[in-house]
């Protein structure tokens, strides 16, 4: 079994009694120095929070939106993502009636997505399961300040708070942390400047490729 998280490795062993090899996702982020897409959305740099992910319960967009609105922030909340089907959860989220919340749907153009990451005030990561998520890697490599759900996986990815700050799984915690972010602009700036350091060698594609080759060689020799 190959996974991308030391925490997932522990879980595999705890549940199945199986050891596994940890291989991370890679990062090859191209920074886009443009505000063109921001102009289309009528938003300004550092004047919005960003959420990226499928609109499913595990990603907690509903809690993030409710917490954001209850914080009375005057910034925007840009929600990137959708689901390729109709269900009550995603429909309810997209029916949020507040001009501060902007739904973009899926964004396949990576330049536009990079622009949104780079210019955000804070990237909010609500993913609950699944180990290291590519959206978190993109946020780190784009130089985002990160506010993440307090999980084992996210703590591992952000090195226990070195590269981000955390919220609990309730809208009150989100509200409190949004207020904290807006009252501590120096802290947010510091996180933004430091986040790229979270992209360590294990996210280098050459290093990742070498690890896969080693795994395949071991499998061949084992058989």
């Amino acid at each position: 079994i190959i996974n991308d998280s030391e925490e997932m490795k522990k879980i595999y062993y705890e549940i199945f009694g199986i050891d596994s090899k940890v291989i991370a996702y890679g990062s090859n982020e191209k920074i886009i120095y443009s505000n063109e897409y921001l102009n289309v959305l009528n938003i300004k740099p550092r004047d919005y929070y960003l959420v990226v992910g499928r609109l499913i319960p595990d990603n907690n967009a509903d809690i993030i939106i409710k917490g954001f609105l209850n914080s009375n922030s005057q910034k925007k909340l840009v929600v990137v993502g959708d689901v390729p089907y109709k269900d009550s959860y995603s429909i309810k989220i997209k029916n949020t009636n507040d001009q501060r919340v902007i739904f973009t749907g899926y964004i396949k153009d990576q330049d536009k997505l990079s622009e949104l990451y780079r210019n955000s005030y804070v990237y909010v990561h609500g993913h609950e399961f699944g180990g290291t998520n590519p959206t978190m890697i993109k946020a780190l490599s784009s130089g985002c300040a990160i506010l993440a759900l307090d999980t084992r996986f996210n703590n591992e990815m952000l090195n226990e708070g070195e590269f981000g700050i955390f919220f609990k799984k309730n809208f009150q915690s989100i509200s409190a942390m949004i207020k904290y972010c807006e009252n501590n602009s120096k802290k947010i700036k510091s996180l933004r400047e430091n986040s790229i350091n979270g992209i360590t060698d294990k996210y280098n594609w050459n290093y990742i490729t070498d690890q896969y080759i080693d795994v395949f060689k071991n499998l061949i020799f084992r058989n």
Side-chain angles (χ1 to χ4, degrees), residues 131-184:
T132 303
N133 190 282
T135 59
M136 181 83 89
I137 294 178
K138 195 171 183 71
L140 286 167
S141 61
S142 298
C144 294
I146 298 173
L147 172 60
L149 180 64
D150 190 0
T151 68
R152 293 166 62 180
F153 310 119
N154 295 338
N155 268 278
E156 177 189 0
M157 184 68 184
L158 298 177
N159 200 29
E160 307 300 330
E162 182 179 0
F163 303 117
I165 52 179
F166 300 96
F167 66 90
K168 301 296 183 181
K169 190 182 173 180
N170 60 73
F171 80 88
Q172 295 94 337
S173 179
I174 280 282
S175 292
M177 291 309 298
I178 292 289
K179 293 176 182 177
Y180 172 86
C181 290
E182 299 196 2
N183 290 331
N184 293 273

Side-chain angles (χ1 to χ4, degrees), residues 30-207:
K30 178 178 68 173
I31 304 299
I32 302 299
Y33 295 95
S34 167
N35 293 344
E36 183 177 345
Y37 189 52
L38 268 63
N39 294 333
V40 172
L41 297 178
N42 194 29
I43 54 178
K44 298 177 181 179
R46 308 293 182 236
D47 198 38
Y48 63 92
Y49 295 83
L50 178 66
V51 175
V52 180
R54 290 179 298 156
L55 300 183
I56 59 174
D58 293 352
N59 292 344
N60 295 298
D62 55 338
I63 296 174
I64 294 171
I65 292 170
K66 185 175 181 180
F68 170 78
L69 293 177
N70 276 271
S71 74
N72 295 317
S73 171
Q74 296 306 301
K75 295 184 185 295
K76 305 287 187 181
L77 177 66
V78 178
V79 181
V80 177
D82 205 334
V83 287
Y85 48 80
K86 291 183 178 180
D87 71 337
S88 58
Y89 180 83
S90 62
I91 290 172
K92 182 179 180 181
I93 289 174
K94 288 183 286 188
N95 283 340
T96 300
N97 185 24
D98 193 296
Q99 293 184 346
R100 288 175 293 165
V101 183
I102 299 171
F103 295 96
T104 69
Y106 290 117
I107 296 180
K108 296 182 180 180
D109 187 326
Q110 293 303 302
D111 287 354
K112 290 180 178 178
L113 192 56
S114 177
E115 185 181 325
L116 285 174
Y117 273 101
R118 185 184 68 83
N119 287 293
S120 66
Y121 183 64
V122 172
Y123 165 72
V124 186
H125 187 79
H127 294 62
E128 191 166 350
F129 301 116
T132 303
N133 190 282
T135 59
M136 181 83 89
I137 294 178
K138 195 171 183 71
L140 286 167
S141 61
S142 298
C144 294
I146 298 173
L147 172 60
L149 180 64
D150 190 0
T151 68
R152 293 166 62 180
F153 310 119
N154 295 338
N155 268 278
E156 177 189 0
M157 184 68 184
L158 298 177
N159 200 29
E160 307 300 330
E162 182 179 0
F163 303 117
I165 52 179
F166 300 96
F167 66 90
K168 301 296 183 181
K169 190 182 173 180
N170 60 73
F171 80 88
Q172 295 94 337
S173 179
I174 280 282
S175 292
M177 291 309 298
I178 292 289
K179 293 176 182 177
Y180 172 86
C181 290
E182 299 196 2
N183 290 331
N184 293 273
S185 58
K186 289 184 178 179
K187 171 67 174 179
I188 298 305
K189 184 175 184 291
S190 174
L191 287 172
R192 194 178 296 127
E193 292 171 347
N194 189 41
S195 63
I196 189 64
N197 295 320
I199 301 299
T200 57
D201 288 343
K202 74 176 182 178
Y203 302 113
N204 178 278
W205 278 115
N206 290 330
Y207 177 66

